[in-house]
Structure formats: C-alpha cells, structure tokens
Amino acid sequence: MNEFVTYKSEENYALITINNGKANAISPAVIDGLNLSLDKAMQENKVVVLTGQKGIFSGGFDLKVMTKSPESAKELVTSGSKLSLRMLSFAKPIIIACSGHAIAKGAFLLLSADYRIGVKGDFKIGLNEVLIGMTMHNAGIAIAKARLSKVYLNRSVNNAEIYNTKQAVDAGFLDVVVEEDHLLPTAIKVAEMSSKLNAKAHAETKLKVRKQDLIDLEKAIAADLEADISINKQ
C-alpha cells in the first residue's frame, strides 16, 4: 500500500504487514497504509491478517509526530482512534499476528481486532501512556473498557502496567500465545476458519455485540477533538 505497509493477497485472506523502523511506529503514513489495505481487503472480500516485524508488532505512535506540536499530536491520536473504530466495526474478521512487543497504540490495535495471537518470549504488551506522562485520551479509555478484562482495566489504564504475553491473555490483549515459528501458520489457520463464516451474519452480529461500545467510542473521539492532548513532564 506504501513503503511502510504492505498488502499480500492470498486465497482466503489478505496479509497486511507494518514495517516502519525499529519501533514499528504508528505514523500518519502507516495509518494511511492500513486504511488503504482495509479498503482493498473489502474490495477483495478477504479476511485480514495483520502483523508487524520480527520481535515487535508496534511500539505505539510515532514520537517525532507526537512531540512536533500539540496539533500534530492531536491529529495523529484522532486518526488512530478512527482507525480503531473502523477495525472494531469492520465487516470482515481481523486477526492480528502479534510478532513481539505491542505498546501504547500497538496494544490498542490488539484491542481493536477480532482475534489476537501472540508469541512466547520476553515481550511486553500494554498501555504505557500514564508512565510516559500522557493523560489517557477518552477514546483510549473507551477501547480499553470495551475489550479488557474488568479486573485488569484499572491496572492497565490508570497504572500503566505492562504484561508479558501470558499475562496479556488474562488481561484481554491477546487470545492465545504460540511459539514464534507457529505465529503466522496459526494466524492463517484462524483466517481460513474465519473465511467460512457467513459474511453477512458475521458483520451484522459484530455490530450488534459492539453496538454500545462503538457508540461510546464515537462519543469519545468527538470529546477528544474538543480537548487538548496532555503530555506531562515530571
């Protein structure tokens, strides 16, 4: 789709890969590439498998953009929230093959997908916004409330607790953890199974199940547009 996001069409699914530097940061160009890839997946009527680089799915928003100006930070956070809204309401199943660390927006992408597969190893999963001085935005809170286990919600959002992959399953960031060499094969197997779902029934049921969550997220995005992105220093 662009130099940071690639799209490969297979028989029963589309493989979308993020490749943007050491942190695999979510930049405006990455979001554009992901949106174009989702457009194409819909056109081709394909289940989506989304993955990152070896060892890292994504370290979150591009800090160069976030620190450039309050306006650029707000624009990036808003476009990221709208991407999550799109993913949560996407008509086709979205499976994430989480290839390693998933922090901040990387973890929010996990919370925006239908099925999440992680890899065993010394990887970190979680929402570190409060840890780095960012007051959590309304949309982030809405997504976390919708998808995280209630027991882990405050630990994850208020306390910025970071988990290993096993703990991330309990928290609600991941559904299953596999050996690294089984990551893509497992994701492909899930995608092939998902492709057998009745497309209309899946899309309509997803919207029913997530109706209130989607309403809450839309309201949260609107509230964030009226507020400032708060990044505090100690």
Side-chain angles (χ1 to χ4, degrees), residues 141-201:
I141 294 169
I143 296 166
K145 282 184 174 180
R147 300 303 303 277
L148 286 177
S149 165
K150 189 173 182 179
V151 175
Y152 284 85
L153 177 63
N154 287 288
R155 290 168 59 178
S156 301
V157 178
N158 296 343
N159 300 346
E161 188 170 342
I162 304 298
Y163 308 104
N164 60 38
T165 52
K166 184 178 182 298
Q167 294 168 328
V169 173
D170 295 331
F173 289 102
L174 297 173
D175 293 295
V176 67
V177 176
V178 299
E179 298 290 347
E180 183 180 352
D181 57 351
H182 292 166
L183 179 65
L184 274 180
T186 302
I188 290 167
K189 183 178 180 180
V190 173
E192 290 174 341
M193 292 171 60
S194 298
S195 70
K196 297 176 183 177
L197 295 171
N198 181 282
K200 188 171 187 293

Side-chain angles (χ1 to χ4, degrees), residues 12 33 42 49 51 72 84 134 142 154 163 171 179 191 197 200 218:
N12 294 316
M42 280 304 300
V49 174
T51 192
S72 63
S84 285
M134 179 178 174
N154 287 288
Y163 308 104
E179 298 290 347
L197 295 171
K200 188 171 187 293
E218 287 178 336

Side-chain angles (χ1 to χ4, degrees), residues 11-231:
E11 183 178 356
N12 294 316
Y13 65 94
L15 178 62
I16 301 171
T17 305
I18 303 170
N19 188 356
N20 184 25
K22 185 178 180 180
N24 227 20
I26 305 299
S27 66
V30 167
I31 291 175
D32 287 344
L34 290 173
N35 276 312
L36 288 170
S37 296
L38 293 176
D39 289 343
K40 189 166 184 179
M42 280 304 300
Q43 292 168 3
E44 295 184 343
N45 196 32
K46 294 288 178 66
V47 172
V48 169
V49 174
L50 175 61
T51 192
Q53 302 177 45
K54 182 178 180 180
I56 185 161
F57 176 62
S58 175
F61 283 131
D62 189 330
L63 290 180
K64 290 181 181 178
V65 178
M66 291 295 291
T67 57
K68 182 179 179 181
S69 69
E71 293 76 20
S72 63
K74 188 172 184 176
E75 185 176 350
L76 181 56
V77 170
T78 300
S79 61
S81 298
K82 289 180 177 178
L83 173 63
S84 285
L85 179 64
R86 183 180 188 187
M87 290 173 65
L88 284 163
S89 56
F90 198 64
K92 306 298 291 184
I94 297 178
I95 296 101
I96 290 183
C98 183
S99 48
H101 303 294
I103 300 295
K105 189 58 189 181
F108 277 122
L109 290 181
L110 295 179
L111 298 179
S112 306
D114 296 296
Y115 199 90
R116 298 78 46 87
I117 305 158
V119 289
K120 292 180 181 178
D122 188 23
F123 298 116
K124 297 177 180 179
I125 311 284
L127 308 173
N128 72 338
E129 280 81 355
V130 170
L131 184 65
I132 64 172
M134 179 178 174
T135 300
M136 186 65 80
H137 53 305
N138 293 297
I141 294 169
I143 296 166
K145 282 184 174 180
R147 300 303 303 277
L148 286 177
S149 165
K150 189 173 182 179
V151 175
Y152 284 85
L153 177 63
N154 287 288
R155 290 168 59 178
S156 301
V157 178
N158 296 343
N159 300 346
E161 188 170 342
I162 304 298
Y163 308 104
N164 60 38
T165 52
K166 184 178 182 298
Q167 294 168 328
V169 173
D170 295 331
F173 289 102
L174 297 173
D175 293 295
V176 67
V177 176
V178 299
E179 298 290 347
E180 183 180 352
D181 57 351
H182 292 166
L183 179 65
L184 274 180
T186 302
I188 290 167
K189 183 178 180 180
V190 173
E192 290 174 341
M193 292 171 60
S194 298
S195 70
K196 297 176 183 177
L197 295 171
N198 181 282
K200 188 171 187 293
H202 170 78
E204 291 180 350
T205 300
K206 181 187 291 188
L207 292 179
K208 280 188 176 183
V209 169
R210 297 178 179 169
K211 181 178 180 180
Q212 190 58 53
D213 296 330
L214 295 172
I215 291 171
D216 291 344
L217 181 51
E218 287 178 336
K219 290 179 179 178
I221 292 171
D224 285 334
L225 285 170
E226 299 298 321
D228 294 325
I229 299 296
S230 180
I231 302 177

